[in-house]
Amino acid sequence: LSTIFGNLRLVASASLGQVYQARLLQPRAPSADGLFRAYRRKNSQSGSDQTVGQLVAIKIQRPGMRKSFSLDLFLLQQWAEFVDSFTSIFTNQAPYHRALFDAFAQGSYSELDYENEARNQKHFQQELRVRGCKVKVPDVYDDYTTQRVLT
């Protein structure tokens, strides 16, 4: 990490991960590094020599988060099935808890994919720019972004 980012410091913690602030030391992530895949997307601003020295935020997912998250969702799924069974036996209410849970689980898993979050962030940034909004949305650096790391 010290060859890619300088002045790395923790600035925030959340349930899924932590956010660090740093300066980019290289124009693109080295392909030999195990943390990042070195690639460039067409028409992307990331990876240029102009990014060296750029102040960035790095969101890193906690280790084992997908496994922990999957267990939590499995337990919630079991509860939803129990509630649906209970309500269909003891009330005239149509079961809906499992369907509600399935929608929640699908959305929740997408939160674990930081590459998906990066695409959404770029789309959001572009839509605000087109509409002339003065809201600042940070740039995404594709060369330093993976499923578990968003830069």
Side-chain angles (χ1 to χ4, degrees), residues 3-122:
T3 61
I4 300 170
F5 301 109
N7 304 324
L8 188 68
R9 69 181 186 90
L10 180 65
V11 293
S13 292
S15 58
L16 297 181
Q18 296 180 316
V19 178
Y20 295 84
Q21 181 184 55
R23 290 207 180 271
L24 291 176
L25 298 178
Q26 295 186 18
R28 65 184 291 181
S31 59
D33 190 273
L35 292 175
F36 302 101
R37 290 187 307 274
Y39 66 93
R40 291 191 178 153
R41 292 193 177 139
K42 195 172 186 177
N43 301 324
S44 173
Q45 294 178 348
S46 70
S48 71
D49 290 335
Q50 297 162 342
T51 62
V52 173
Q54 185 72 35
L55 190 62
V56 296
I58 308 157
K59 182 177 175 182
I60 301 176
Q61 194 175 108
R62 295 183 192 283
M65 184 54 63
R66 183 169 292 277
K67 183 177 178 182
S68 175
F69 206 71
S70 294
L71 176 59
D72 290 347
L73 289 177
F74 172 75
L75 295 172
L76 284 172
Q77 176 189 32
Q78 298 303 302
W79 177 252
E81 289 175 1
F82 166 76
V83 172
D84 275 350
S85 295
F86 181 85
T87 56
S88 66
I89 293 169
F90 294 101
T91 72
N92 289 328
Q93 179 179 326
Y96 67 91
H97 298 91
R98 176 62 194 262
L100 177 65
F101 167 79
D102 288 343
F104 172 77
Q106 182 179 4
S108 297
Y109 271 113
S110 70
E111 291 295 314
L112 293 174
D113 181 356
Y114 288 179
E115 289 173 322
N116 182 58
E117 186 173 338
R119 286 188 297 275
N120 287 334
Q121 183 172 328
K122 289 189 282 187

